[in-house]
Amino acid sequence: MYNKSVVILANQVGPPVRGVQCFGRDQFIDLVWEKLSLGHVLLTAPRRFGKTSIMYKLVDEPRWEYQALIADLEYLREPADLITLFTELLMRNPVTSRCLKGVSFLSGRLWSRFRESVEEVELHKLRFKLRDELRPHWRESGDELFDRLAGCGHTIVFLLDEFPMMIDGMTRRDGGVEDARAVLRWLRAVRQRPECQNIRFLIGGSVGIGAILRKLGEVSSINDFESLKLEPFSRPTALRFLAGLAEGQQTDLSLACQRKMLDLVGLPIPYFLQVLFSEVRKVHLQAGTAITTRLIERVYHERLLGVECKTYFDHYYGRIRDYYARDLERAIKRMLREVAVMTEVSREAFYQIYRKEAGASATAEQFNDVAAELENDFYVRPSTDGKHYTFACKILRDWWLRYYGMEYGD
């Protein structure tokens, strides 16, 4: 039966959500706008926490007539790609496009084609053409863009998703390390220009940016950003979220069943709750059985932690291989296996595992950096006194034990 006190939610597992579907984040969005009114924001959270949905909420419901422009930077691999993207974003916004008319690197014909093109194939060709033209003088062209924006009479907010992956991707190309450093330094110079005080940047990503910047020696390049961390739901919010999913799918889900789901998942992360709800509902519909706490427990162990749902979690294991050197990869996998098996590991034991796997040259400072990255990327969390580590989330620990509890990262 329809309950007017419950928000009706679609169970969209995976893709970003918009509108009322971006549930339970109103206070956080208020905080983001408050910080953007004052400066630049670094939005941190692991993958599937809802960062992109937050960004879309800022675009869909802008405040104070700010012009919010969103872009995914994951596949950009050189500085000219970034300037091309900035140009396209500005050209396709009716307010900012007027500021770009007459820029030296954008002919009248190209300017018109960018504004009028709706076919993705045509846009792809335009991007390639502009990028090739910008490549020899991307800094100068970028400076010209922001010169125009400085006098446009509006506050422009660039919402740049997967910024760390862009920087990391640049470093993996031949000559890309210097490109990455150049982009970081140029963006900082833009932000520091007195005439660009109407420009705001919000950057976010599912990969921790700290390790990437330390490797480049560029930690100071983003020290003018204020960090905001997107946390899991509170338990009351998570219960309302599950009630909304049940209402939206016309599914009977008792309060006892909702609580059971929260107990199984651990920290109430929306994505994991959606996956569990989806799997429970599939069994409910296919078998024609009522949803009970016993059914939820069985689905959790047999399906959610089973092979058919393994792809929902593989990122957490695979990214260690993708973003850490081989010696660090072995050390981190061994550390995580140990904390999964033992439930809780002392900081000293964590350090000794790291030293054994990373080699005799491993230092306490390097360990501190690795431990901080594992915290930022939502693998582990320290105890309140900082002397022990546990897995950050029960469901992730259960999954790790299921698939990697017997190996040491080989």
Side-chain angles (χ1 to χ4, degrees):
M1 183 178 294
Y2 176 64
N3 185 343
K4 291 183 179 180
S5 66
V6 175
V7 175
I8 298 176
L9 299 174
N11 192 30
Q12 297 173 254
V13 179
V17 295
R18 303 180 85 152
V20 70
Q21 302 300 321
C22 184
F23 176 84
R25 298 302 192 185
D26 292 348
Q27 290 181 321
F28 185 79
I29 290 166
D30 288 342
L31 180 60
V32 173
W33 276 120
E34 175 188 318
K35 298 304 180 182
L36 282 173
S37 72
L38 301 171
H40 311 290
V41 172
L42 172 63
L43 180 57
T44 65
R47 191 181 189 210
R48 305 295 194 187
F49 260 55
K51 295 181 303 299
T52 306
S53 298
I54 295 293
M55 293 185 185
Y56 277 125
K57 191 76 168 178
L58 300 175
V59 171
D60 294 340
E61 300 176 17
R63 301 186 185 179
W64 314 304
E65 297 186 358
Y66 281 16
Q67 301 298 309
L69 311 174
I70 186 171
D72 183 349
L73 309 189
E74 181 174 355
Y75 300 106
L76 305 191
R77 289 297 178 266
E78 59 176 297
D81 284 332
L82 184 62
I83 307 304
T84 299
L85 181 141
F86 283 160
T87 303
E88 181 182 351
L89 287 177
L90 295 165
M91 287 299 304
R92 298 181 70 79
N93 177 286
V95 172
T96 57
S97 63
R98 295 193 294 267
C99 304
L100 268 61
K101 195 165 187 178
V103 292
S104 64
F105 62 86
L106 201 60
S107 68
R109 183 167 179 269
L110 197 57
W111 186 85
S112 298
R113 289 174 67 190
F114 257 119
R115 291 201 66 190
E116 296 167 2
S117 294
V118 292
E119 294 289 339
E120 185 58 34
V121 172
E122 175 67 13
L123 281 171
H124 195 61
K125 293 177 181 177
L126 291 173
R127 290 180 196 121
F128 272 117
K129 178 177 175 58
L130 182 57
R131 184 197 63 187
D132 292 344
E133 292 178 1
L134 289 172
R135 189 175 284 128
H137 47 79
W138 65 267
R139 285 185 189 84
E140 295 82 359
S141 299
D143 286 339
E144 187 178 356
L145 271 185
F146 283 94
D147 284 341
R148 294 299 189 95
L149 293 182
C152 76
H154 292 272
T155 297
I156 314 299
V157 183
F158 290 94
L159 308 171
L160 306 180
D161 203 5
E162 300 299 357
F163 182 87
M165 293 188 74
M166 177 190 73
I167 297 299
D168 184 71
M170 285 184 180
T171 66
R172 295 168 187 263
R173 294 176 62 248
D174 290 341
V177 169
E178 289 309 312
D179 279 346
R181 289 188 177 122
V183 164
L184 288 165
R185 293 171 185 175
W186 174 74
L187 284 170
R188 179 174 172 79
V190 167
R191 298 192 303 272
Q192 299 300 309
R193 290 168 59 179
E195 63 271 25
C196 287
Q197 294 306 299
N198 64 320
I199 307 298
R200 301 285 189 275
F201 289 91
L202 181 148
I203 62 175
S206 57
V207 175
I209 195 170
I212 295 169
L213 295 182
R214 278 194 294 275
K215 187 165 58 176
L216 289 169
E218 292 292 336
V219 174
S220 63
S221 64
I222 63 165
N223 64 7
D224 55 328
F225 281 78
E226 182 160 1
S227 179
L228 293 180
K229 185 175 183 180
L230 185 60
E231 301 283 357
F233 282 160
S234 67
R235 191 173 178 89
T237 300
L239 289 172
R240 292 197 302 274
F241 180 67
L242 287 171
L245 292 178
E247 192 76 17
Q249 310 305 303
Q250 299 181 332
T251 301
D252 289 330
L253 189 70
S254 69
L255 182 57
C257 288
Q258 295 171 29
R259 288 171 173 163
K260 183 65 173 179
M261 286 183 171
L262 295 188
D263 291 341
L264 288 169
V265 168
L267 279 181
I269 299 161
Y271 175 68
F272 292 149
L273 294 175
Q274 286 178 292
V275 173
L276 178 55
F277 176 85
S278 179
E279 293 303 312
V280 168
R281 186 167 180 270
K282 287 177 191 175
V283 173
H284 160 66
L285 292 176
Q286 292 168 0
T289 58
I291 298 178
T292 64
T293 56
R294 182 174 295 181
L295 175 69
I296 291 170
E297 179 112 30
R298 178 167 65 83
V299 170
Y300 177 81
H301 290 287
E302 294 179 5
R303 291 178 67 104
L304 197 62
L305 299 180
V307 174
E308 62 188 287
C309 290
K310 189 170 182 286
T311 54
Y312 291 130
F313 303 90
D314 276 339
H315 164 81
Y316 287 96
Y317 191 80
R319 73 166 300 279
I320 298 172
R321 177 186 63 249
D322 294 338
Y323 291 99
Y324 290 96
R326 180 62 175 164
D327 56 342
L328 277 183
E329 177 193 347
R330 286 179 54 86
I332 289 169
K333 288 179 178 177
R334 172 66 188 273
M335 292 160 72
L336 292 176
R337 176 199 175 275
E338 200 70 18
V339 76
V341 170
M342 301 301 294
T343 305
E344 181 179 84
V345 174
S346 71
R347 184 176 177 85
E348 177 61 27
F350 224 36
Y351 175 49
Q352 294 305 326
I353 295 169
Y354 171 76
R355 286 192 63 191
K356 180 179 178 180
E357 295 295 329
S361 62
T363 66
E365 182 179 1
Q366 291 167 342
F367 165 76
N368 288 335
D369 288 342
V370 169
E373 287 303 312
L374 291 178
E375 288 181 47
N376 289 336
D377 291 343
F378 200 66
Y379 291 100
V380 300
R381 59 178 174 176
S383 58
T384 53
D385 62 7
K387 294 182 179 180
H388 296 84
Y389 284 102
T390 60
F391 249 91
C393 182
K394 176 184 174 296
I395 189 174
L396 192 56
R397 174 180 177 262
D398 290 346
W399 181 82
W400 210 275
L401 279 174
R402 175 78 172 265
Y403 292 99
Y404 303 109
M406 297 299 294
E407 70 167 59
Y408 285 72
D410 293 325

